[in-house]
Amino acid sequence: MKTTRQSNQRQGIVFILSAPSGTGKTTVINGLRERFPEVSLSVSYTTRAPRSGDIPGRDYHFISRSRFSAMKAKGEFAEWATVHDFYYGTPRRPLDRSIGKGKDFFLDIDVQGARQIKKEYPQAVSIFLLPPSWGELKRRLGKRATDNTKIIRRRLANARREIQNVMQYDYYVVNRNIEEAVGLLEAIVLAERQRISRVLRWRIAPLKGESKALSRS
Ligand code: 5GP
């Protein structure tokens, strides 16, 4: 997309996306990736086992509890949390490197992580993805062949708890259908990029022929 003639240097933005399981987060994130190929997506470290379809290094770095604890002790996580009895953490280095270069960075993390990131990176933008209804969330969770009933029940209870935190977020998006949800996220990303407070240096290239027109008047 050709946007403006300005090339204003700005800070990279940290976008936080939280969504309870079954909200359609993965599909929405894939849609975002297509729309914004230049945006980096954080790859978290986790102690949970890979599920079928998970690709190590792309979806998560799958590590042992002892390795996770060692990384935590060395301060290598920008945030970390226990989710569904497993540890999850966002590595600090790729995040800092990306925003330092002015590149936006997306985090798919839970509400505990969102709270920590907002504290450390106050300019971060947090977005909560909601299911259209409880009935729909139950139906979507039930369709996951990889999880058993006990896990589904626990995920539903966690979702209920997570959704109670929606008021701590900057934006919400209801995932009624994928096009609408990705469209809303796109609008948020584009608007946040236009915030004056994020601009580090202001530049406006002269319009073609403008100087001639000016000298004639
Ligand atoms: P799943 O295991 O189903 O991929 O993810 C479970 C939950 O953990 C999701 O709500 C996801 O957003 C969250 N999660 C994934 N990575 C991280 C992370 O690095 N930090 C935190 N706090 N939550 C994470």
Side-chain angles (χ1 to χ4, degrees), residues 78-156:
E79 65 74 36
W80 70 274
T82 308
V83 187
H84 310 139
D85 298 336
F86 299 108
Y87 292 146
Y88 291 81
T90 302
R92 188 186 294 279
R93 214 177 300 148
L95 190 162
D96 287 342
R97 206 183 302 136
S98 183
I99 60 171
K101 283 196 275 180
K103 270 190 80 183
D104 300 340
F105 202 74
F106 249 93
L107 306 179
D108 160 7
I109 57 176
D110 82 327
V111 295
Q112 310 166 71
R115 219 173 284 136
Q116 293 172 56
I117 292 288
K118 273 288 211 178
K119 235 185 245 162
E120 276 213 42
Y121 301 85
Q123 309 260 38
V125 178
S126 56
I127 307 159
F128 201 96
L129 189 67
L130 288 163
S133 66
W134 279 112
E136 181 57 21
L137 184 65
K138 261 193 208 167
R139 198 187 62 79
R140 287 182 191 174
L141 282 174
K143 264 174 46 182
R144 273 197 183 176
T146 46
D147 295 333
N148 64 35
T149 319
K150 200 174 141 211
I151 293 179
I152 292 170
R153 214 173 297 137
R154 196 169 51 176
R155 284 178 185 266
L156 209 54

Side-chain angles (χ1 to χ4, degrees), residues 138-195:
K138 261 193 208 167
R139 198 187 62 79
R140 287 182 191 174
L141 282 174
K143 264 174 46 182
R144 273 197 183 176
T146 46
D147 295 333
N148 64 35
T149 319
K150 200 174 141 211
I151 293 179
I152 292 170
R153 214 173 297 137
R154 196 169 51 176
R155 284 178 185 266
L156 209 54
N158 279 340
R160 200 174 285 274
R161 217 173 315 120
E162 288 226 313
I163 289 173
Q164 280 165 4
N165 290 286
V166 70
M167 293 302 281
Q168 83 182 38
Y169 283 73
D170 299 314
Y171 295 95
Y172 75 93
V173 168
V174 177
N175 187 13
R176 283 190 200 86
N177 65 69
I178 187 69
E179 289 77 22
E180 187 190 64
V182 173
L184 287 169
L185 282 167
E186 183 181 342
I188 295 167
V189 170
L190 294 178
E192 286 293 334
R193 284 179 173 176
Q194 300 306 121
R195 271 192 192 276

